[in-house]
Amino acid sequence: MSRKLWAAVTGALVLAGGALVTIPLTAGAVDDRPTAVVSLGDSAMSGEGAGSYEDGTEGENGNWCHRSTVAMVHRTRLADRTVNLACSGADSANVSLADTVHYTEGSQARRLIDVAREFRVTAVVVQVGANDDPEFADTMVDCVIAWANPFGPACRAELEREWPGRLAAMAPKVEDALRDVRAAMGSAGYDNSQYDLVLTSYASPVTERMDRILHGPQGCPLRLADAGYGRTVAVPQLSEALRGVASRAGVKFLDLSRATENREACTKGSTTNGEWQRRLTVDPNALVNGGLDAIGLHLAQQSFHPNAAAHDQLGGCLTEFVTSGAGSARCLEGADGNLHAVQ
């Protein structure tokens, strides 16, 4: 059966009585499209920090999505094809079906429809929420500023008061995005039972377990107590908030909050070998593609994100999780030094 004929049979949509109706697959028909797993979300999913970015996403014409060719979705072993629609800095609205534009790119869910019609999508993985009310990147900047001013208050002082409220405000936005992902797949002809929808949380980029004197010059200019609060309180609470979202939305959940434990930025002292998170990284090469637009945030955009080694590990853990058929699991390092999906 040709791809064009297949699309006509399985992807044709009719507008009847104001409702969008999908024409069902003819009994006995065989879906011979290549399988695919698709990722949506923000920088942690796009591969920010892993390097090897796709052409056109390194600041060219204002596109700073930084989609890495070694991002975790590309390190999975779940399908014939891997498709990364995530974009650095994206929030829940950018993932949803809303009419939004981020770094020149429109709705990720709308683009998912086209992918799901071309391929037989078996899994959709979403990582989003940190750029909504938690404002994770801005919070990291605030903590760096607090480190630079030893006479001022710790950044965690304000966070301790605000963090629970930020998470509560984030949750319904992520739920809306997941609902739109379901709707996008439905409009492409899929029933919920035909693919796995997975929501992931985030790994802590920093830890208090750093050299007490040299961690700042080594690339982690954060107060140890602030970093400890992030690792032991803020990131786990964010993960639990997203777990609640997954439960209410009826999707699978993969907890990454401890995925880089003992391998966070600056845990290895003078060397980065063995670390799975980027340290503060200023990349002058951003000026090559992005020009003057790179000045400011984009020069340090890769900072405190999982590196290529981490994405390789996360891809393996994600593969284990999806193939297990479990509804939830945690990515934890095993005795073999690799991440595994632990239920």
Side-chain angles (χ1 to χ4, degrees):
M1 181 182 291
S2 70
R3 181 172 295 170
K4 183 177 294 185
L5 179 56
W6 169 254
V9 173
T10 63
L13 302 174
V14 294
L15 197 62
L20 197 62
V21 179
T22 304
I23 296 177
L25 178 69
T26 302
V30 176
D31 189 342
D32 59 358
R33 293 174 298 173
T35 57
V37 55
V38 186
S39 61
L40 297 84
D42 55 29
S43 57
M45 184 61 75
S46 74
E48 181 74 81
S52 185
Y53 303 116
E54 295 177 8
D55 291 342
T57 71
E58 286 193 86
E60 301 94 329
N61 300 310
N63 188 318
W64 293 95
C65 284
H66 275 185
R67 275 194 293 274
S68 175
T69 61
V70 295
M72 73 172 83
V73 69
H74 298 312
R75 311 307 292 172
T76 59
R77 300 176 301 281
L78 294 168
D80 300 323
R81 308 289 175 85
T82 54
V83 181
N84 189 3
L85 299 179
C87 180
S88 186
D91 60 18
S92 294
N94 304 135
V95 171
S96 76
L97 290 168
D99 188 16
T100 64
V101 176
H102 174 67
Y103 288 155
T104 76
E105 297 190 354
S107 159
Q108 294 180 26
R110 292 186 186 184
R111 282 178 286 145
L112 172 63
I113 297 173
D114 294 331
V115 174
R117 287 174 176 163
E118 182 178 359
F119 303 105
R120 179 164 64 85
V121 173
T122 58
V124 179
V125 187
V126 180
Q127 188 174 35
V128 75
N131 292 321
D132 288 291
D133 301 84
E135 298 179 337
F136 207 93
D138 290 342
T139 298
M140 289 295 296
V141 171
D142 290 342
C143 289
V144 170
I145 293 173
W147 172 85
N149 179 17
F151 302 105
C155 74
R156 71 183 184 283
E158 182 177 355
L159 272 182
E160 287 174 333
R161 296 191 302 270
E162 296 184 354
W163 196 244
R166 292 193 197 181
L167 299 181
M170 169 204 73
K173 298 174 183 178
V174 179
E175 289 182 48
D176 287 344
L178 292 174
R179 189 177 302 114
D180 280 3
V181 170
R182 285 289 199 203
M185 291 295 288
S187 70
Y190 290 73
D191 181 83
N192 291 352
S193 64
Q194 293 179 295
Y195 65 99
D196 289 305
L197 178 53
V198 179
L199 177 67
T200 80
S201 60
Y202 298 82
S204 178
V206 294
T207 177
E208 72 280 15
R209 300 165 181 165
M210 301 181 287
D211 187 296
R212 299 189 63 84
I213 305 300
L214 299 177
H215 67 275
Q218 287 173 348
C220 295
L222 303 158
R223 298 186 186 187
L224 293 179
D226 287 342
Y229 171 80
R231 183 185 72 83
T232 63
V233 179
V235 170
Q237 287 183 350
L238 172 59
S239 186
E240 286 308 300
L242 291 171
R243 182 190 301 275
V245 168
S247 178
R248 291 188 294 275
V251 307
K252 297 186 175 185
F253 179 69
L254 185 60
D255 183 351
L256 304 185
S257 61
R258 295 177 56 195
T260 58
E261 193 167 59
N262 298 318
R263 293 179 180 272
E264 299 95 341
C266 296
T267 50
K268 306 303 180 183
S270 60
T271 178
T272 60
N273 293 336
E275 293 180 356
W276 289 349
Q277 295 277 2
R278 281 256 195 174
R279 303 180 181 195
L280 180 63
T281 302
V282 177
D283 180 18
N285 287 327
L287 294 166
V288 175
N289 292 321
L292 296 179
D293 186 40
I295 297 176
L297 170 66
H298 299 306
L299 282 173
Q301 187 172 316
Q302 300 184 78
S303 303
F304 303 119
H305 284 89
N307 59 24
H311 278 271
D312 185 55
Q313 291 289 330
L314 290 166
C317 183
L318 179 58
T319 299
E320 282 189 7
F321 174 56
V322 173
T323 55
S324 75
S328 66
R330 297 174 296 163
C331 284
L332 299 175
E333 185 174 352
D336 60 358
N338 297 313
L339 285 182
H340 296 282
V342 179
Q343 298 175 32

